[in-house]
Structures are given as C-alpha cells and as structure tokens.
Amino acid sequence: HGLSDLKVWPDGRVLAVGDEGDLLEARLVLDYAGHLTGLKDARLTQVIGEDGQPMASHGKVDSDAEGIAELANGDRLISLEEHDRILFYPHAGGPPRRAPMPDVTFAANAGMEALAAYPKAGADAYVVGIEATGETFICRLSAACTKYRTVELKDGYELSAMEVLSGGRTAYLLRAFDPLRGARVILRIVGADGQVEDQLELARPYTIDNFEGVAAAPSPGGGLRFYLISDDNFSKSQRTLLVAFDWRPG
C-alpha cells in the first residue's frame, strides 16, 4: 500500500518507497514480447530513521516518504513530507543523516514529492521538486540547494515525481483529482532548453489511479519505457498499479 515513488534500472531492478516508511525492492517480469507482466524477487523492508529504528515506529507524520533517488555509487536519498526533510543513506550502511534541502516554506502535506539523481551537476547531486508550486532545485550533498526551473501547473495539477533522462531531458509526472473528473495524470517530457517535447495525458475512461511515481529505462523495442506507480492511500476505492508506456524521441 501507499507506494509513492519508484526507480527502475536497465537490468530490471526496481526500487520503490511508501507512505509508511516501506521500501520495496524487486525485479521486473516481461513476457516473450517484452511487455510488463509483473514483479518477482520482491523484498519489503522498513526504512530506518535517524535514530536507527524503523521510521514507522514514530507514526505517519514522521514516516511519510514521497521520493527516492539512488546515486551512482549506491548511496540513496529519501524525501519526506509532513515532517519535511531529506535523508541520506550511505551505501556502506548505518543510520541516515540529513541532506541539504530547499530553503523554502512548504504547504502542509505538499512538499518534496519529486526526487531524482542529477549526475550532470556532480556525483553527489540530486534534483528536488515541490508538489504545490512546481519549483525544482538542484542540490548536492556537499553544497546548498539552488533554484532550477519551475514546472508549469494549472487546472488543479501538482508535481508528483520526476525522472532525469539522457540528452538533458527531464520527465515530470503531474497529477490532479476532483470528484467530478476523478484522477488525472500528465507525463510531460521537457528538453534541455526547458521546452515541452511531448506529453501523455491520462484520464477516464483510460486505466487511471493516483499515479505518484515515475521511472524510465530503455525499452526492449528501442526508445524509452516509462513506468508509473500509483499510491492507493490504503483505500478500498483505490489501487496499487504499475503500468508501462513506450516512447520514442521525435
């Protein structure tokens, strides 16, 4: 339940994080045609807090993980809402420590939803996106965060996740909900110049839910495959879905 972000690697490795301090590690299962059919070798563990104890033991406010990133050396970062902070998990193990975060005031439960490694700015660099405003920041473990670009938000959409792509592109996942139209999602691909290159919009009657996480990996047929994961909010009226869309530049 409650999976809020994911990352996928070319070898099929999957990493996802959830609202109650859950960490899911698994591998993709593809059929003979390269289509996504499920996951295997799944392992569910608890995220450890700064005191070395499971984060969930301190309650929902302290364990609301929303974004996850993994640096090239295996170090990980997790962004959290409500008790807003970014935690750095060294690859060698041990309790996490606080990592630099944007010096802004966050709206309640609408903070650092989006998180991704940003190797272009350095081996220890990452990019953070703010749900309510669409502002993004480039941060480094060794330096303070600096303002980057602002993602355009309108018609009730908020920034939910991001993925840094090759060639200077970035993919942004936007989501919206209202009782009349239900859940709506936009997957927007922006070029190095900040211009929108392509966009996928999902709404009823398509398969749709509260998609909060996005990841990208090479598609078996060429181009890129985007994976979207939904947060069911522990609700009987929502589902945990993992879906895939293949995309070719140009």
Side-chain angles (χ1 to χ4, degrees):
H1 295 287
L3 296 177
S4 295
D5 197 16
L6 85 160
K7 297 294 179 279
V8 175
W9 282 264
D11 64 359
R13 184 167 64 95
V14 175
L15 181 65
V17 71
D19 288 344
E20 291 190 341
D22 301 315
L23 191 68
L24 174 66
E25 298 175 86
R27 302 192 73 83
L28 297 171
V29 178
L30 308 180
D31 67 12
Y32 69 94
H35 298 154
L36 174 66
T37 62
L39 298 175
K40 66 178 181 180
D41 302 331
R43 178 172 174 258
L44 190 65
T45 57
Q46 293 183 309
V47 176
I48 300 301
E50 294 166 86
D51 60 357
Q53 300 301 310
M55 193 179 291
S57 65
H58 299 291
K60 176 70 162 62
V61 171
D62 201 60
S63 61
D64 190 5
E66 296 293 342
I68 191 164
E70 186 172 284
L71 304 181
N73 65 355
D75 292 339
R76 291 176 180 172
L77 295 144
I78 294 178
S79 62
L80 297 105
E81 281 186 338
E82 300 191 70
H83 179 188
D84 299 298
R85 63 207 192 280
I86 298 175
L87 296 181
F88 166 74
Y89 291 81
H91 178 60
R97 61 175 173 83
R98 299 285 180 102
M101 58 184 273
D103 185 18
V104 299
T105 300
F106 304 108
N109 200 33
M112 296 177 287
E113 280 271 342
L115 184 67
Y118 194 65
K120 180 181 177 180
D124 66 342
Y126 50 101
V127 60
V128 183
I130 312 304
E131 178 181 5
T133 64
E135 296 173 288
T136 65
F137 298 79
I138 296 173
C139 306
R140 296 185 64 177
L141 295 173
S142 56
C145 300
T146 58
K147 184 73 180 293
Y148 185 35
R149 64 166 62 118
T150 298
V151 181
E152 182 184 11
L153 304 176
K154 58 183 180 180
D155 196 23
Y157 279 97
E158 296 177 315
L159 176 60
S160 180
M162 68 173 73
E163 176 77 307
V164 175
L165 311 174
S166 61
R169 296 184 177 95
T170 304
Y172 298 100
L173 184 65
L174 315 180
R175 59 168 181 169
F177 176 84
D178 61 65
L180 182 62
R181 291 176 289 183
R184 294 172 290 136
V185 166
I186 291 175
L187 176 60
R188 181 180 297 163
I189 301 170
V190 174
D193 58 359
Q195 300 301 306
V196 177
E197 288 191 14
D198 211 344
Q199 185 163 288
L200 170 69
E201 298 186 30
L202 295 175
R204 296 170 178 168
Y206 295 113
T207 298
I208 187 71
D209 215 296
N210 180 36
F211 288 114
E212 282 199 13
V214 63
S219 169
L224 282 177
R225 174 167 290 180
F226 288 99
Y227 295 90
L228 307 184
I229 199 164
S230 64
D231 177 352
D232 69 351
N233 284 312
F234 298 81
S235 168
K236 292 182 179 179
S237 64
Q238 294 177 267
R239 296 171 293 172
T240 298
L241 299 175
L242 178 62
V243 297
F245 296 91
D246 289 340
W247 177 77
R248 288 179 180 272

